[in-house]
Amino acid sequence: MHVLFVIDPLPQLKAYKDSSVAMMQALAARGHTLSVALQADLYIEAGVVRVRAMPIALVPGADLHEHAWWRESGPPVEAPLKDFGAVLMRKDPPFDMEYVYSTHLLGYAQEQGARVFNSGAAIRNHPEKLAITEFPDLVSPTLVTRDMERIKAFHAQHHDVIVKPLDGMGGTGIFRLRAEEPNRNAILETLTGNGTQTIMAQRYIPEIVKGDKRVLLIGGEPVPFCLARIPLAGETRGNLAAGGRGVAQPLSDSDRRIAETVAKRIAGRGLLLVGLDVIGDCLTEVNVTSPTCFVEITEQTGFNVADFFAQALERAVA
């Protein structure tokens, strides 16, 4: 099978810990061929969604801390997306209008016979923070609004809350408002752009000290291990990008219940890979653009997450 990755530029990837690279390795080990393309390489001509793709091969034994872990295996190819065995959309946020346009192109390509994972419509219809509101029984008390007075009332009710933008990643823009927060108004004015941008507020979950857990759903099945991203001392955010420490651990009964509940609800929506963020017993995000943590879980537990994904992809295409 020829697999196309729509991805960020390869030299920008930290290959030694990048989940997309782990996917490439697993797919190559199973005999599949690989090509890569950027968002800008997608286009429509004469009504057909096409791509300018670069065939690549992985360099055996390469140091993944260096850039020479891949090589071009042929000249660029221009072809309809439907000609590839599978198309994997692995472009990291920001989820801007160019990203939205890409999801539309991927959706049109699917109508023409392309096999896209996660599907364009699924990515577009599951904004990663807002998607949790579909599961009110699994989340901490949550408010989504641009109305600062409404957020202040929510804060007065719950005393200790987290506020965050809807389009952030890696922990950017997340603030904790304790009961007595002298900068509350300034924080809310900044996050909402003085009431012009919608944000999310959630009751603070104290179990964050034990980690913000990444639970992976692949082909509707939960990976049996999660990665608990434990915050630095004095830090509210567990994100690895914010300095959190990743510790792999078996799923708890609660983690599995959350994963199975979400999997059942989203079945049939074109989501082959989903990364759930769980703090304590609460779902906090549903990540569908480019979920990560494959490498950390594999290295610490021996469970080959990327091969598990490659097998799920083969089944989905078949």
Side-chain angles (χ1 to χ4, degrees), residues 46-204:
V48 177
V49 182
R50 300 173 60 87
V51 66
R52 185 179 190 274
M54 175 63 68
I56 66 166
L58 305 185
V59 177
D63 183 353
L64 296 183
H65 288 81
E66 302 295 336
H67 292 304
W69 55 271
W70 63 279
R71 60 176 176 79
E72 297 178 4
S73 59
V77 174
E78 306 219 10
L81 257 64
K82 65 181 178 63
D83 287 0
F84 293 88
V87 178
L88 300 183
M89 180 58 167
R90 292 286 299 174
K91 171 70 178 67
D92 280 344
F95 197 97
D96 54 15
M97 283 308 299
E98 282 301 315
Y99 199 112
V100 172
Y101 299 147
S102 293
T103 67
H104 283 294
L105 265 64
L106 294 172
Y108 299 154
Q110 285 182 269
E111 294 175 2
Q112 297 168 2
R115 294 158 292 276
V116 182
F117 308 94
N118 289 330
S119 79
I123 294 172
R124 190 171 60 252
N125 294 339
H126 294 81
E128 299 187 327
K129 291 180 174 62
L130 281 176
I132 67 169
T133 60
E134 187 177 350
F135 308 94
D137 53 327
L138 300 180
V139 305
S140 175
T142 298
L143 173 70
V144 178
T145 184
R146 66 173 68 177
D147 186 328
M148 285 187 285
E149 293 306 315
R150 197 177 299 278
I151 301 170
K152 292 174 187 177
F154 183 85
H155 180 232
Q157 177 184 0
H158 296 290
H159 309 297
D160 196 352
V161 304
I162 295 292
V163 289
K164 53 188 175 183
L166 297 179
D167 60 353
M169 64 172 291
T172 57
I174 295 177
F175 291 88
R176 180 181 178 184
L177 305 181
R178 292 179 172 85
E180 300 298 330
E181 174 50 70
N183 296 311
R184 183 185 70 176
N185 289 355
I187 290 170
L188 296 183
E189 288 165 6
T190 300
L191 284 183
T192 68
N194 286 311
T196 63
Q197 297 175 14
T198 302
I199 68 169
M200 176 176 285
Q202 291 178 302
R203 187 179 67 191
Y204 176 71

Side-chain angles (χ1 to χ4, degrees), residues 31-50:
H32 303 295
T33 56
L34 307 172
S35 286
V36 296
L38 305 179
Q39 260 187 154
D41 294 321
L42 298 172
Y43 65 100
I44 298 176
E45 187 172 62
V48 177
V49 182
R50 300 173 60 87

